[in-house]
Amino acid sequence: MLQLEQVLISLGKRHWEFDLTLQTHGVHALLGRSGSGKSTFLNLVAGFMQPDSGDIRWQGQSLLALAPDRRPVTTLFQQKNLFNHLTVEQNIGLGIHPGLKLSKTEARSITEVLDDVGLQGFERKLPGTLSGGEQQRVALARCLLRRRPILLLDEPFSALDTVTRQEMIMLLSDVIAAYRPCVVMVTHDEEDAVAMQASILRMSDDRILPDTESRPATDD
Amino acid sequence: MARWPWWLSGAIAILLIASATLMPLLAMIREAGSIQWTEVLGNTYIQRVIRFSIVQATISTVLSLATAIPVALALSHKPGFPGRSLVVTVFSLSLVIPTIVAIFGIVAVFGRTGWFNAALSVFSFAPMGFYGLPGILIAHVFFNMPLATRILLSGLEGIPEDNWRLCRQLGMQPWSIFRHIEWHRIKARLPGLALLIFTLCFTSFAIVMTLGGGPRSTTIEVAIYQSLRFDFDIQMAVALASIQLLICLALMALSTLIRHDGTLGFHLFMPAHTPHPGHLHNDLKSRLWDGPMWNAAHWSVIVTASLFVLLPLLAMALSAFNSKTIAVLTDPSTLLASINTLLVALVAATLSVTLALGILNSTRHMRTRLGLERTGQWVQLSGNVILVLPPLVLGTGLFLLLRTVADVFSLALVLVVIINSLMALPFVLRILNDEVMNAASHDDRLLQSLGIQGWNRWRLIDWPQLRRPLSLSFALSATLAAGDLSAIALFGSERVRTLPLLLYQRMGSYRLEEAAVTAGMLLALCLLLYVVIQWLLGGRRHAAT
């Protein structure tokens, strides 16, 4: 379980309080207006920000002392997921080793994960030659290879056109069914949340409230 | 492997900068304590030197701006003529050509026996006086008119195409376009630009020393040099250096009050990447100033300005091939000076770029991860210390600091390297800062989440993204150091010379043919450094851009 226990954070004059528990295997969509604190929530879980007080736990263990790369978390950002001067293969390889020192098995696993996201033969391509949807798939492939139990999705479809968005939702749904991570997705669009069969949480009055009309997150 | 704390590189860089500047400054302040300041301020020589420094800088600024405005307007009104980019490139060249080399060319064209006076004599006009104020003004305009033109032109080129469409649609006349659209752009840049040119001319050393022509035309910088090297009057040198320091501080304070436009930055050295305006844009603009009168006005301004900049360079290049060429090239003193120049250039550039990277590595962390934007900027300002402590003032401090513990002149090359690395630091910081911060803001969360840091970050992320601005910074600082005369003039001797000092000495002893070859060598060395460094560090693809 991912637990945020009375987590308080202040940024300037804004204050947020997060106190909730998310199930180990489930898709949770966090909805809210721009500036409502959705990204602050993701930044806290990912370790880009430290709370003023409270604790963040995964399976009972506190995450606060861990650097972002040591947390059981991987993030698919809205954009800027890839280094434009590195090939697809290198971008994914960074998820395995930050110095790109890969064994033969690890190098082979990159080809396999590219197959999983439908990008066979893209190893040597540079991100600049890919479409927005393909770039997001490469980033997703890296998230998959990192095999972290918490997957954070920071508005992952907002920069995509309608068709690519549908394809990406289908791909993500398949991947989630296969790997069964704890997914937290930040989005403006309730339709995306419904399409992902997510339990809905709403940012309200600087705290997160469960959406009573939506399906509760289940831990099967 | 233990991770280095984020502040370590910045702390080491700032410590090195502080020891190279604060200790000499303290030595100077201690010496200044024993000066009778009422006597100093009542000294007519000092009063005359201060007055001349201000007067020549003011006239140079006014002349540079007054000539740059019509040139920038003409180039803006003629956006598509063949050779335009060549003219603009030549205008950028004056920023990297060693001052002493350009002076040689200026003398060849405007000097007493130069091309200009030869042309005047054909029409039976009296020859124009050159040495003293006229020579200083011509040289200052030679360097600053192209700089001002490029800055003003970049502002004028920033006027959106829609504005030109509107001008055509509303049938606006040229004067009305100037008053309502173009002047607005020019006016916004004038205060910052004027202050920049005034500061450059006020602290100008090589031009005044070479073309000043005597004590009546001496600036504070040159007077400091004369006090230390010829009169050995340390108290006078310290008094002058203190006055120079105070005036530079005041100029720096004034510059913080002026809202600087981003275009005043050193990005002018960067190859232009703005999309070339299309045919429609060019056609639209050209038609607004149609007619033979406007054509004649534009062409006369562009041709005159181009000749003013090109002729001295041409004169210098032509005179480099003469009967003494082989003798000078094989002369051991020329070879030794060339080796010294190369050594100073490469070591100073390495030091300057390393210091800048050390500072930026720490301030990047402060600004992106700790949210200390303002503090980070203040820390970065430490690299601009040379702007308030000009080379001759710093040199005076270093001389006072070291004279009791070592033979200062035997340390000449070390001191020249230190001063030149600090002189290039503001340029290097300015070029690298934007690129480092852009890369950081783009990639920081991703880097954190993937745990890429230290050597891995440098090797895989920073170096590939920064190698082009880094190579430009390195090339620029090496070129500036190779062409600098101020520091080596203060500490150089018959035993330790660089090419600029050798050129100055040969010009001073009227060995003009030898001087011409030396000038050609120095120019070739600077251009070679500029191109080869960018080719080696920036990669073949980058050097071509």
Side-chain angles (χ1 to χ4, degrees):
Chain A
M1 282 188 301
L2 176 65
Q3 293 167 288
L4 279 84
E5 293 174 349
Q6 298 183 335
V7 169
L8 296 175
I9 183 162
S10 302
L11 294 171
K13 291 179 180 171
R14 298 289 308 270
H15 309 279
W16 286 274
E17 181 183 348
F18 300 107
D19 193 63
L20 75 161
T21 300
L22 300 177
Q23 303 300 337
T24 307
H25 308 292
V27 184
H28 314 272
L30 185 54
L31 297 171
R33 294 192 308 273
S34 294
S36 61
K38 305 187 298 294
S39 295
T40 304
F41 176 82
L42 287 195
N43 285 335
L44 283 166
V45 177
F48 303 132
M49 285 179 180
Q50 285 291 342
D52 299 331
S53 63
D55 200 359
I56 301 172
R57 294 172 177 276
W58 172 249
Q59 310 297 44
Q61 298 251 306
S62 175
L63 302 182
L64 291 188
L66 299 178
D69 59 304
R70 304 290 163 113
R71 296 193 177 197
V73 176
T74 186
T75 310
L76 183 65
F77 299 104
Q78 180 182 355
Q79 48 195 357
K80 301 175 184 173
N81 274 296
L82 304 176
F83 299 107
N84 287 329
H85 61 283
L86 299 179
T87 63
V88 164
E89 191 177 33
Q90 289 171 317
N91 265 292
I92 296 176
L94 284 173
I96 304 171
H97 189 279
L100 278 181
K101 288 172 184 146
L102 307 179
S103 67
K104 280 185 180 165
T105 320
E106 285 169 334
R108 226 178 4 255
S109 69
I110 294 174
T111 311
E112 288 166 11
V113 81
L114 275 173
D115 284 353
D116 288 348
V117 296
L119 294 177
Q120 299 91 331
F122 276 57
E123 286 88 340
R124 306 276 174 200
K125 294 197 176 192
L126 286 170
T129 65
L130 307 182
S131 69
E134 288 167 343
Q135 290 184 18
Q136 284 298 71
R137 283 168 186 243
V138 174
L140 178 63
R142 186 176 56 215
C143 288
L144 297 180
L145 258 191
R146 298 191 76 203
R147 299 192 188 288
R148 303 288 164 101
I150 304 170
L151 173 61
L152 303 181
L153 306 175
D154 189 359
E155 304 196 33
F157 315 125
S158 60
L160 305 179
D161 61 63
T162 315
V163 176
T164 316
R165 173 185 289 231
Q166 293 305 324
E167 287 173 3
M168 194 69 188
I169 287 173
M170 282 168 60
L171 177 64
L172 258 174
S173 301
D174 290 348
V175 162
I176 290 165
Y179 290 84
R180 301 178 70 228
C182 169
V183 180
V184 182
M185 176 172 75
V186 157
T187 179
H188 285 293
D189 195 336
E190 199 158 338
E191 279 184 26
D192 288 343
V194 174
M196 294 280 296
Q197 295 186 305
S199 64
I200 294 177
L201 304 162
R202 290 185 193 277
M203 284 299 306
S204 172
D205 294 332
D206 301 338
R207 65 187 64 226
I208 293 177
L209 297 176
D211 189 309
T212 47
E213 292 177 10
S214 64
R215 187 174 68 85
T218 54
D219 198 358
D220 41 358
Chain B
M1 192 175 71
R3 290 172 180 176
W4 281 24
W6 62 267
W7 49 264
L8 190 63
S9 62
I12 293 172
I14 288 169
L15 200 69
L16 287 174
I17 294 170
S19 11
T21 52
L22 289 183
M23 281 160 60
L25 191 65
L26 286 175
M28 225 173 72
I29 290 169
R30 203 174 51 203
E31 190 73 30
S34 59
I35 292 174
Q36 300 295 319
W37 281 99
T38 44
E39 267 179 40
V40 166
L41 295 173
N43 184 320
T44 50
Y45 169 71
I46 291 183
Q47 284 175 356
R48 198 172 61 221
V49 166
I50 296 173
R51 198 164 48 238
F52 183 78
S53 302
I54 295 171
V55 167
Q56 64 82 20
T58 308
I59 303 175
S60 299
T61 307
V62 171
L63 285 178
S64 300
L65 290 176
T67 47
I69 292 173
V71 179
L73 284 170
L75 284 170
S76 164
H77 297 169
K78 290 268 172 213
F81 71 86
R84 185 181 182 273
S85 59
L86 185 71
V87 173
V88 177
T89 307
V90 168
F91 278 20
S92 315
L93 268 184
S94 68
L95 305 175
V96 284
I97 288 176
T99 316
I100 186 76
V101 171
I103 289 169
F104 188 86
I106 291 168
V107 172
V109 175
F110 296 101
R112 194 163 290 278
T113 55
W115 296 357
F116 188 70
N117 276 332
L120 285 181
S121 68
V122 170
F123 300 101
S124 308
F125 286 112
M128 185 190 77
F130 181 68
Y131 287 98
L133 188 60
I136 293 171
L137 295 180
I138 289 174
H140 278 162
V141 174
F142 173 87
F143 280 103
N144 294 304
M145 182 273 286
L147 171 75
T149 300
R150 286 225 43 198
I151 290 172
L152 293 174
L153 185 61
S154 78
L156 290 169
E157 285 179 339
I159 296 172
E161 194 173 310
D162 287 348
N163 285 17
W164 301 121
R165 282 209 188 93
L166 209 57
C167 291
R168 286 280 286 164
Q169 201 174 53
L170 299 175
M172 284 171 78
Q173 294 303 304
W175 170 244
S176 176
I177 295 171
F178 175 74
R179 203 154 61 99
H180 296 296
I181 296 171
E182 293 174 322
W183 177 241
H184 177 71
R185 288 272 171 165
I186 292 171
K187 197 175 64 177
R189 283 162 177 77
L190 277 185
L193 194 50
L195 190 65
L196 176 71
I197 296 175
F198 183 88
T199 310
L200 289 173
C201 297
F202 186 78
T203 54
S204 160
F205 174 73
I207 289 172
V208 182
M209 188 161 83
T210 324
L211 305 178
R216 284 172 57 84
S217 315
T218 296
T219 56
I220 302 176
E221 290 270 303
V222 176
I224 294 170
Y225 165 76
Q226 284 163 343
S227 308
L228 274 184
R229 289 308 303 259
F230 293 112
D231 310 332
F232 209 72
D233 184 347
I234 289 174
Q235 289 230 322
M236 176 64 88
V238 171
L240 288 163
S242 308
I243 292 167
Q244 179 80 326
L245 178 68
L246 287 177
I247 296 175
C248 284
L249 269 173
L251 289 171
M252 186 84 163
L254 196 60
S255 79
T256 59
L257 297 177
I258 295 173
R259 188 182 64 84
H260 276 286
D261 193 290
T263 48
L264 279 185
F266 300 107
H267 77 286
L268 290 172
F269 292 109
M270 303 286 275
H273 284 296
T274 46
H276 197 271
H279 177 71
L280 179 70
H281 175 90
N282 293 350
D283 192 46
L284 204 65
K285 275 179 91 172
S286 309
R287 281 172 187 277
L288 288 164
W289 292 274
D290 224 357
M293 195 193 77
W294 280 113
N295 256 333
H298 285 144
W299 282 119
S300 58
V301 167
I302 292 170
V303 170
T304 310
S306 304
L307 286 177
F308 180 70
V309 177
L310 270 177
L311 284 182
L313 300 180
L314 187 69
M316 198 281 302
L318 289 178
S319 61
F321 300 97
N322 57 48
S323 60
K324 296 278 175 61
T325 303
I326 302 293
V328 173
L329 288 177
T330 51
D331 176 22
S333 63
T334 314
L335 286 175
L336 190 62
S338 305
I339 293 168
N340 284 341
T341 309
L342 208 58
L343 204 67
V344 165
L346 294 177
V347 180
T350 308
L351 196 57
S352 196
V353 171
T354 311
L355 287 173
L357 283 176
I359 293 172
L360 289 172
N361 184 50
S362 296
T363 54
R364 173 174 67 182
H365 189 97
M366 293 170 83
R367 294 168 70 181
T368 55
R369 295 203 181 165
L370 304 179
L372 301 171
E373 178 66 27
R374 189 63 67 87
T375 318
Q377 284 178 354
W378 276 107
V379 173
Q380 257 169 254
L381 273 184
S382 63
N384 291 348
V385 68
I386 200 75
L387 299 181
V388 288
L389 214 58
L392 265 289
V393 178
L394 181 59
T396 308
L398 284 167
F399 181 85
L400 291 173
L401 185 73
L402 297 172
R403 69 182 165 141
T404 50
V405 290
D407 172 16
V408 178
F409 298 106
S410 68
L411 295 172
L413 287 185
V414 177
L415 298 175
V416 170
V417 162
I418 291 173
I419 293 175
N420 274 291
S421 63
L422 290 174
M423 277 165 73
L425 198 53
F427 289 80
V428 177
L429 277 170
R430 197 62 187 262
I431 292 170
L432 289 179
N433 175 56
D434 288 352
E435 305 285 336
V436 167
M437 289 311 294
N438 278 347
S441 64
H442 187 276
D443 301 326
D444 196 56
R445 285 202 308 169
L446 190 57
L447 290 166
Q448 282 190 77
S449 71
L450 297 175
I452 303 170
Q453 57 188 330
W455 173 240
N456 284 335
R457 176 173 180 160
W458 172 251
R459 185 171 62 91
L460 294 168
I461 311 299
D462 288 342
W463 169 244
Q465 295 191 69
L466 295 179
R467 66 182 294 180
R468 189 170 151 265
L470 262 176
S471 66
L472 177 70
S473 310
F474 198 88
L476 189 63
S477 37
T479 311
L480 292 175
D484 175 59
L485 178 64
S486 53
I488 191 70
L490 199 58
F491 296 113
S493 60
E494 285 298 313
R495 283 178 295 135
V496 185
R497 285 185 292 203
T498 58
L499 281 177
L501 184 60
L502 192 64
L503 171 56
Y504 172 72
Q505 289 172 343
R506 285 175 175 167
M507 280 171 78
S509 54
Y510 296 101
R511 289 147 66 191
L512 293 182
E513 285 191 319
E514 290 173 39
V517 183
T518 316
M521 274 187 77
L522 180 54
L523 183 63
L525 185 76
C526 285
L527 291 178
L528 209 64
L529 278 171
Y530 196 68
V531 173
V532 171
I533 288 173
Q534 288 197 73
W535 184 73
L536 284 177
L537 286 182
R540 193 186 291 261
R541 191 167 57 87
H542 302 301
T545 54

